[in-house]
């Protein structure tokens, strides 16, 4: 295949990736966006294979590994529950990072194969590209592994910090830059391996100080890192499609991280540098001993909602853990039959990854026009009869507006406390991932429903 024809196909592939991102920006067009992405990736893979033009034994091995990897990926994707999607995404990010590291190592050890020069005499631009790709890939790999362990519950969601951690991260980051400089100068093999090893360590140290409440931003940030790693390796391989795809993923991930940081009132640069969630997350539970809590049952909740004219559902991670989205849809259907207006309010960082709640509600076939983002629906709470909060803790906590000492102070929240009645489904009064007590529990208009989210929702439906 000629170089010009190859470039045209890669350009088509890149356009399809852009259309995919555009489609994924809205639930209504997300299926179409996925389709564009699949077609674009299929074109890129097929054209790359054809451009090789050498169907040797090595090419056969490549096809075998592609089949094995594709089969494993499809199997995992089919088996994984929607509630575990955040850790699946983190796991896939780690593989992207590791792939970038392996390709960079291969290019460094065999520069002649990649037309980069010879061993000990690699082109400076290529050395910089493969070093950056390997470093970012290594950070993405170990950082994603830590994120996976935290999301999976195999590691504490609390920040793990120690004195001088930020200075150590800064020192390691500068070390990588200095080593890349000297690698370009003397091209010593050991320097390249030190770059990778330090980057592996830096990935761990960047993510362990980040608390579980900030995991949505971490997932988005790692997504961006994986894109930049792929773009760096794309330059090394002189693969236009990989450069375009990596740049798209890297930039879109960075933009999403910035949007989510604004939604959480966090500093974007502190996210990129790691460790911004490192506040003490011990529960400040003074209110539990000083204020009474009103609790109720499914019958009480059903009575309030059936006699309401409007109900706003606020889903959170508790709904995801209990897998209560289908039960919630059945409850809403019952309310609609009684003439109650129902809508859903989604906070930008509800759950453990961007769009987590939207995906779960879509799985339960909740109509897209009933689901609203924070900015669209927040003013409606003041005119709402009942707010049904199902596992959304920190994103509904009023102290974000009143307590300057709170770690979530300044974070935009859903104004559920303005509703006439608040039904809060939770197993106990334990704090959310931010580690602070929720003042909403003790409001006069709040009725706590202590139970598993799915069981409580099913019981309410029966009473309706």
């Amino acid at each position: 295949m000629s170089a010009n024809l190859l470039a045209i196909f890669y350009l088509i592939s890149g356009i399809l990736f852009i259309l995919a991102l555009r489609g994924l920006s809205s639930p209504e067009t997300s299926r179409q966006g996925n389709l564009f992405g699949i077609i674009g990736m299929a074109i890129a893979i097929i054209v790359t294979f054809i451009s090789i033009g050498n169907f040797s034994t090595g090419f056969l091995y490549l096809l075998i590994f592609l089949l094995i990897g594709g089969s494993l990926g499809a199997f995992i994707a089919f088996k994984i529950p929607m509630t575990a999607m955040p850790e699946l995404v983190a796991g896939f990010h780690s593989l992207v990072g590791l792939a970038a590291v392996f390709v960079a190592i291969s290019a460094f050890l065999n520069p002649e194969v990649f037309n980069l020069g010879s061993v000990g005499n690699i082109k400076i631009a290529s050395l910089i590209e493969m070093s950056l790709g390997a470093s970012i890939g290594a950070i993405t790999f170990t950082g994603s592994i830590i994120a996976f362990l935290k999301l999976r519950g195999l590691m504490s969601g609390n920040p793990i910090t120690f004195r001088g951690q930020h200075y150590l991260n800064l020192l390691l980051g500068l070390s990588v830059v200095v080593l890349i400089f000297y690698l370009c100068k003397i091209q010593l093999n050991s320097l390249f391996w030190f770059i990778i090893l330090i980057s592996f360590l830096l990935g761990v140290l960047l993510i362990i100080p980040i608390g579980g409440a900030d995991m949505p931003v971490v997932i988005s940030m790692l997504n961006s890192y994986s894109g930049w790693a792929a773009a760096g390796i794309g330059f090394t391989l002189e693969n236009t499609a990989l450069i375009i795809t990596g740049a798209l993923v890297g930039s879109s991930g960075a933009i999403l991280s910035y949007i989510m940081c604004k939604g959480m009132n966090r500093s974007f640069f502190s996210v990129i540098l790691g460790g911004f969630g490192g506040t003490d997350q011990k529960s400040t539970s003074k209110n539990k001993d000083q204020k009474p809590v009103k609790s109720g049952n499914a019958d009480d909740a059903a009575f309030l909602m059936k006699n309401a004219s409007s109900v706003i559902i606020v889903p959170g991670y508790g709904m995801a853990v209990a897998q209560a989205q289908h039960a919630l849809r059945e409850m809403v259907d019952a309310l609609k039959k009684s003439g109650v207006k129902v809508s859903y309010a989604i906070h930008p960082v509800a759950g453990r990854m961007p769009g987590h709640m939207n995906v779960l509600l879509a799985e339960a076939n909740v109509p897209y026009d009933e689901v609203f983002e924070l900015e669209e629906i927040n003013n409606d709470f003041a005119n709402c009869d009942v707010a049904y909060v199902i596992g959304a803790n920190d994103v509904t906590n009023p102290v974000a507006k009143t307590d300057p000492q709170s770690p979530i102070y300044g974070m935009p929240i859903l104004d559920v406390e303005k509703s006439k009645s608040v039904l809060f489904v939770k197993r106990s009064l334990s704090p959310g991932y931010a580690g602070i007590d929720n003042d909403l529990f003790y409001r006069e208009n709040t009725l706590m429903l202590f139970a598993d989210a799915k069981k409580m929702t099913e019981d309410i439906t029966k009473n309706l």
Side-chain angles (χ1 to χ4, degrees):
M1 181 179 291
S2 67
N4 289 338
L5 191 58
L6 183 66
I8 291 173
F9 275 116
Y10 280 155
L11 179 61
I12 293 171
S13 178
I15 292 172
L16 286 169
F17 290 142
I18 294 172
L19 292 174
L21 286 176
R22 180 180 176 84
L24 291 171
S25 64
S26 169
E28 291 89 344
T29 58
S30 59
R31 289 181 183 273
Q32 187 182 57
N34 266 315
L35 182 61
F36 283 138
I38 292 169
I39 296 172
M41 184 57 68
I43 292 173
I45 292 173
I46 293 170
V47 170
T48 300
F49 280 168
I50 294 174
S51 67
I52 294 173
N54 179 19
F55 294 87
S56 60
T57 306
F59 187 79
L60 179 62
Y61 286 144
L62 181 62
L63 288 177
I64 292 172
F65 289 132
L66 184 66
L67 181 62
I68 293 172
S71 300
L72 284 173
F75 176 77
I76 292 170
F78 275 117
K79 296 293 289 184
I80 201 80
M82 294 302 291
T83 50
M85 195 57 65
E87 50 258 49
L88 176 66
V89 172
F92 282 167
H93 286 164
S94 72
L95 295 177
V96 174
L98 189 60
V101 173
F102 283 156
V103 172
I105 292 172
S106 179
F108 183 75
L109 298 179
N110 304 279
E112 298 90 349
V113 177
F114 297 90
N115 298 316
L116 305 177
S118 58
V119 176
N121 192 30
I122 302 174
K123 291 182 286 187
I124 300 299
S126 299
L127 272 176
I128 295 173
E129 292 159 7
M130 69 176 70
S131 298
L132 288 175
S135 178
I136 298 172
I139 291 171
T140 304
F141 174 68
T142 50
S144 298
I145 292 296
I146 297 299
F148 174 87
L149 294 174
K150 287 195 173 193
L151 290 165
R152 196 69 178 172
L154 301 174
M155 184 178 185
S156 173
N158 292 331
I160 300 173
T161 58
F162 54 86
R163 187 181 298 275
Q165 189 169 36
H166 292 295
Y167 294 108
L168 177 59
N169 289 351
L170 178 61
L171 178 63
L172 292 175
L174 291 175
S175 299
V176 170
V177 174
V178 171
L179 286 172
I180 291 176
F181 172 77
Y182 278 103
L183 177 66
C184 294
K185 195 172 183 180
I186 60 177
Q187 297 199 19
L188 189 64
N189 282 14
S190 59
L191 294 179
F192 185 72
W193 296 111
F194 275 122
I195 290 171
I196 294 175
L197 289 174
I198 292 173
S199 299
F200 277 139
L201 177 60
L202 188 57
V204 174
L205 294 176
L206 282 173
I207 304 302
I208 59 171
I210 300 178
D214 301 318
M215 273 300 137
V217 186
V218 173
I219 295 295
S220 177
M221 178 182 72
L222 290 170
N223 178 50
S224 179
Y225 285 177
S226 68
W228 297 125
I233 296 303
F235 281 106
T236 300
L237 299 178
E238 296 183 351
N239 187 302
T240 309
L242 196 54
I243 295 171
I244 294 173
T245 306
L248 285 172
V249 173
S251 56
S252 61
I255 292 169
L256 181 58
S257 297
Y258 175 74
I259 292 172
M260 296 184 73
C261 284
K262 286 186 67 178
M264 298 176 70
N265 194 37
R266 302 292 196 184
S267 164
F268 178 69
F269 289 105
S270 64
V271 179
I272 298 301
L273 296 175
F276 69 87
T279 54
D280 183 5
Q281 292 197 9
K282 294 179 182 177
S283 172
T284 56
S285 56
K286 295 184 293 183
N287 286 336
K288 295 179 185 178
D289 301 322
Q290 297 175 357
K291 293 184 179 180
V293 175
K294 292 192 295 184
S295 62
N297 54 36
D299 188 45
D300 300 324
F303 177 80
L304 283 172
M305 284 197 276
K306 193 170 186 178
N307 289 281
S309 60
S310 63
V311 172
I312 298 179
I313 311 291
V314 182
Y317 190 61
M319 182 192 77
V321 172
Q323 299 187 43
Q325 59 270 28
H326 295 285
L328 186 64
R329 170 66 194 272
E330 292 175 7
M331 185 190 79
V332 169
D333 288 342
L335 286 171
K336 288 179 181 177
K337 289 178 182 178
S338 300
V340 180
K341 178 188 175 184
V342 183
S343 51
Y344 299 81
I346 308 293
H347 193 279
V349 294
R352 293 295 177 268
M353 66 176 286
H356 195 185
M357 296 299 106
N358 302 76
V359 171
L360 292 175
L361 294 178
E363 185 193 20
N365 294 317
V366 171
Y368 297 137
D369 58 359
E370 295 178 5
V371 181
F372 299 92
E373 300 295 330
L374 180 145
E375 296 84 1
E376 300 173 309
I377 199 170
N378 228 14
N379 291 331
D380 295 347
F381 283 105
N383 302 314
C384 170
D385 293 315
V386 177
Y388 185 70
V389 184
I390 179 167
N393 200 332
D394 298 323
V395 298
T396 61
N397 196 337
V399 299
K401 297 184 290 184
T402 60
D403 184 5
Q405 303 303 316
S406 171
I408 63 170
Y409 180 69
M411 181 179 85
I413 62 164
L414 291 164
D415 296 329
V416 295
E417 79 276 7
K418 295 181 180 180
S419 303
K420 292 178 183 176
S421 298
V422 178
L423 300 175
F424 207 122
V425 184
K426 207 171 184 300
R427 289 179 180 272
S428 67
L429 290 175
S430 61
Y433 253 33
I436 56 174
D437 203 23
N438 192 340
D439 188 55
L440 184 63
F441 298 162
Y442 315 101
R443 296 292 177 101
E444 284 293 322
N445 60 334
T446 299
L447 187 68
M448 298 298 298
L449 305 174
F450 295 112
D452 173 80
K454 183 178 181 180
K455 187 177 186 308
M456 174 57 71
T457 304
E458 289 174 342
D459 289 344
I460 291 173
T461 305
K462 292 175 184 176
N463 282 278
L464 286 172

